[in-house]
Amino acid sequence: MMRSVLGLVCVFILLAVFGPLLAPYDPTEIDIPNRLHAPSFDWLLGTDALGRDILSRLLHGARWSLGLAFVISLIGLFIGTALGLVAALFGKTVDWVVMRVTDSFLAFPELIAAVVIAGVLGGGVNSLIFALSVTGWMRYARVARGIGLTLQTRGYVVQAKLAGLSPLAISRWHYLPSLLPSLTVVWTGMFARAILGISALGFLGFGVQPPMPEWGTMLLDARIHMRSTPLQMMWPGLAVVVCVLAINLTGDALRDSLADEDAEQ
């Protein structure tokens, strides 16, 4: 099961990297005479309301959806890990301030907060990245802070402090190696959440702007024709569901394997 799910994730990653090379048509090319064409040998998944090949748009959209999700989840990882380590290393006052800020961000639903931020800034890739990055760092901070606090009493950390090492050096050589496995598990979940967030903002019109293909904007374009040509909306929706499910299952498998290793130790 684990191998099949991991293989599916690898397929999506390969499609995001090499998909545009495999696309049979230009994803933005308009062909009105062949609009809303059913799946055929010429158009394997059919065409949309402007006659654009859905398969080509899906393959190009994988790069947008997964590529932006990768960037957003990495930004959240860096911000959250840094704040979590600051909270763990610089005393109770700093810890209290950082955690109260984290709790304030967690008090608002992430997607709603991202929609508000993207709505204020306007649609576009930069607004999308900023909105989802600002609302996606809190779980990393909590994990980094929790593990950091447990490491403070370890002998090698105490010796490093007595030796006069800076907090940055202690974080690099002692904290980050211990944080990496847990943060990897959190990152897989946040990567999947970023894909959902990108698709949701795209569906609401705040994400990648037309004519660029992205799974959320494809759902938005197909919404009007949902009853007459439901397949047009099914393909990008299926891509989002399968991709997010595969990534989440991979994260669950990583968590279970780490739990088994801890139990053996």
Side-chain angles (χ1 to χ4, degrees), residues 85 89 151-152 156-177:
L85 289 176
L89 288 171
L151 293 176
Q152 280 191 339
Y156 56 87
V157 174
V158 174
Q159 290 178 358
K161 291 180 179 179
L162 293 176
L165 289 180
S166 65
L168 182 60
I170 295 174
S171 299
R172 178 181 178 184
W173 296 110
H174 298 297
Y175 280 43
L176 289 180

Side-chain angles (χ1 to χ4, degrees), residues 67-230:
L68 289 176
F70 182 78
V71 172
I72 290 167
S73 57
L74 277 186
I75 293 174
L77 173 64
F78 291 138
I79 295 175
T81 302
L83 289 176
L85 289 176
V86 166
L89 288 171
F90 288 93
K92 292 184 178 180
T93 302
V94 175
D95 181 23
W96 186 89
V97 172
V98 172
M99 286 300 100
R100 296 298 75 75
V101 172
T102 303
D103 292 340
S104 299
F105 275 87
L106 286 172
F108 297 94
E110 295 176 18
L111 183 57
I112 295 178
V115 169
V116 172
I117 295 173
V120 171
L121 297 177
V125 174
N126 292 333
S127 299
L128 173 71
I129 293 174
F130 181 80
L132 292 176
S133 298
V134 166
T135 58
W137 56 267
M138 296 81 72
R139 287 175 176 81
Y140 299 111
R142 281 192 168 277
V143 171
R145 181 247 186 187
I147 296 177
L149 290 177
T150 61
L151 293 176
Q152 280 191 339
T153 57
R154 299 289 177 87
Y156 56 87
V157 174
V158 174
Q159 290 178 358
K161 291 180 179 179
L162 293 176
L165 289 180
S166 65
L168 182 60
I170 295 174
S171 299
R172 178 181 178 184
W173 296 110
H174 298 297
Y175 280 43
L176 289 180
S178 299
L179 286 171
L180 187 59
S182 297
L183 288 178
T184 301
V185 174
V186 176
W187 182 82
T188 57
M190 297 307 296
F191 183 37
R193 293 173 71 91
I195 295 175
L196 285 176
I198 291 167
S199 300
L201 290 179
F203 182 74
L204 295 173
F206 298 123
V208 178
Q209 298 300 299
M212 292 296 103
E214 187 273 318
W215 292 343
T217 56
M218 290 179 67
L219 287 170
L220 176 62
D221 293 339
R223 178 179 58 87
I224 302 176
H225 306 280
M226 181 172 60
R227 294 186 177 181
S228 59
T229 55

